[in-house]
Amino acid sequence: MLVENRVFPPSEATVKAARISGMEGYNALCAEAEKDFEGFWARLARENVVWNKPFTKTLDESNAPFYKWFDDGELNASANCLDKHMGTPNENKVAVIFEADDGAVTKTTYKELLAKVSQFANALKAKGI
C-alpha cells in the first residue's frame, strides 16, 4: 500500500492573503465551534451575511430532524452575492468563469454580473413578474 505523506506548503503571498492564519488559526476556529457551535455560527452569520432583518434565534431544534437555522432572519441572496461587493476592490474581480462546449471562456466580474442581474430583474418586472 502506498502512503502519501508529502506536505506542500502554500506560497508566502497565499499565506498573507488567507482568511485563516495557518493551522493555529484553523484549530482556534475548530475549538470555538466545538465550545459553542451556535454562538460560532451566529458570529459568522452576523459578520459575513447582510441581513435585511437580523435573526434573533440561531437554531430551532423544536421539530427535529427538520432543524431551522436563522429562521426569523431575512436576507436577500442577490444582495449578499453581488451588491455587497460594489464600491470595494472586489467589484472588479471575476465572479463567474464560464467555459462553453466549444472551449470559449467568458469571465464576468461582480460589477458586470450585477448589471446583468439588474437588467434581467427589470425585464421580469416589465412582464409583471
Side-chain angles (χ1 to χ4, degrees):
M1 172 169 46
L2 179 63
V3 175
E4 177 61 70
N5 58 9
R6 293 179 293 171
V7 175
F8 300 92
S11 69
E12 189 63 33
T14 300
V15 170
K16 285 182 180 178
R19 289 179 177 242
I20 299 173
S21 59
M23 285 307 294
E24 187 175 303
Y26 173 77
N27 289 333
L29 281 175
C30 289
E32 180 188 352
E34 201 170 294
K35 181 180 176 186
D36 174 16
F37 77 96
E38 280 190 51
F40 173 77
W41 288 111
R43 178 181 67 78
L44 290 179
R46 287 186 180 103
E47 290 175 1
N48 296 294
V49 177
V50 177
W51 294 91
N52 295 13
K53 176 185 164 201
F55 61 91
T56 61
K57 184 168 181 145
T58 304
L59 176 61
D60 178 357
E61 300 177 272
S62 65
N63 190 23
F66 303 103
Y67 301 102
K68 295 178 183 179
W69 287 88
F70 318 113
D71 190 45
D72 62 343
E74 292 178 7
L75 55 83
N76 178 313
S78 180
N80 275 281
C81 294
L82 299 173
D83 300 39
K84 77 178 189 178
H85 297 294
M86 297 306 105
T88 74
N90 284 346
E91 74 179 3
N92 294 310
K93 286 188 176 183
V94 174
V96 176
I97 301 172
F98 174 76
E99 184 173 348
D101 290 339
D102 66 0
V105 175
T106 304
K107 295 181 180 181
T108 307
T109 66
Y110 285 101
K111 189 174 187 176
E112 294 166 337
L113 185 57
L114 178 60
K116 290 178 182 188
V117 167
S118 297
Q119 184 179 20
F120 184 65
N122 286 327
L124 290 174
K125 281 183 186 178
K127 295 288 184 187
I129 299 173

